[in-house]
């Protein structure tokens, strides 16, 4: 259990990668990591497609702003694809900021309580800040 003792993170802590490295197979851990990355990208593309089409259908039915119902010649709802992409990027940035803000907040113990409440929202967030 050297991974636990070494505080390894990410794919180095994966039991599959540890087992493959113990067997002495080179190159397979990289293949597993690439497969996981491609799987995540595939999920992201599916999210983009379904979300933009759902918003397009809502706008076409009058339940969302009709000014955004513009498609390209091939049928891509460009405004909704851009909107979903923007929301996805903002969500990623907020998650990254919360994660690194939490790490910085834990390290900085000299921060007064008002500033800590301003940064984290509440003081008890520190216990639940295990992203």
């Amino acid at each position: 259990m050297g991974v636990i003792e070494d505080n390894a993170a990410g794919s180095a802590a994966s039991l599959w990668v540890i087992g493959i490295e113990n067997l002495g197979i080179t190159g397979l851990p990289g293949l597993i990591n690439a497969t996981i990355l491609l799987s995540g990208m595939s999920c992201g593309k599916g999210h983009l497609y379904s979300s933009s089409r759902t918003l397009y259908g809502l706008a076409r039915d009058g339940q969302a702003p009709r000014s955004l119902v513009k498609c390209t010649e091939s049928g891509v709802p460009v405004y909704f694809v851009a909107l979903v992409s923007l929301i996805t990027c903002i969500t990623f940035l907020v998650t990254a900021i919360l994660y690194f803000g939490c790490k910085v907040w834990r390290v900085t113990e000299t921060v007064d309580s008002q500033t800590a409440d301003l940064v984290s929202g509440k003081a008890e967030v520190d216990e639940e800040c295990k992203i």
Side-chain angles (χ1 to χ4, degrees), residues 97-109 111 119 129:
I97 288 169
L98 288 176
Y99 178 75
F100 289 116
C102 174
K103 293 288 187 186
V104 169
W105 191 70
R106 283 184 181 171
V107 170
T108 312
E109 296 184 10
V111 178
V119 170
C129 197

Side-chain angles (χ1 to χ4, degrees), residues 26 57 60 69 89 99 102 109:
T26 59
R60 196 182 61 215
V69 182
C89 289
Y99 178 75
C102 174
E109 296 184 10

Side-chain angles (χ1 to χ4, degrees), residues 52 55-57 59-60 64-71 76-83:
S52 62
L55 288 172
Y56 174 75
R60 196 182 61 215
R66 286 189 75 68
S67 61
L68 299 176
V69 182
K70 180 182 185 228
C71 291
V76 177
V78 288
Y79 291 129
F80 289 118
V81 169
L83 179 67

Side-chain angles (χ1 to χ4, degrees), residues 9-56:
S11 63
S14 168
L15 294 177
W16 290 101
V17 172
I18 294 169
I20 291 168
E21 287 176 348
N22 288 342
L23 290 174
I25 303 172
T26 59
L28 198 54
L31 180 65
I32 289 175
N33 293 334
T35 304
I36 292 170
L37 181 65
L38 287 174
S39 174
M41 289 173 55
S42 175
C43 290
K45 289 191 308 183
H47 161 73
L48 179 67
Y49 177 80
S50 62
S51 299
S52 62
R53 291 294 175 171
T54 300
L55 288 172
Y56 174 75

Side-chain angles (χ1 to χ4, degrees), residues 105 116-117 120-127:
W105 191 70
D117 285 344
S120 66
K122 292 277 186 198
E124 60 264 8
V125 170
D126 187 40
E127 283 78 349

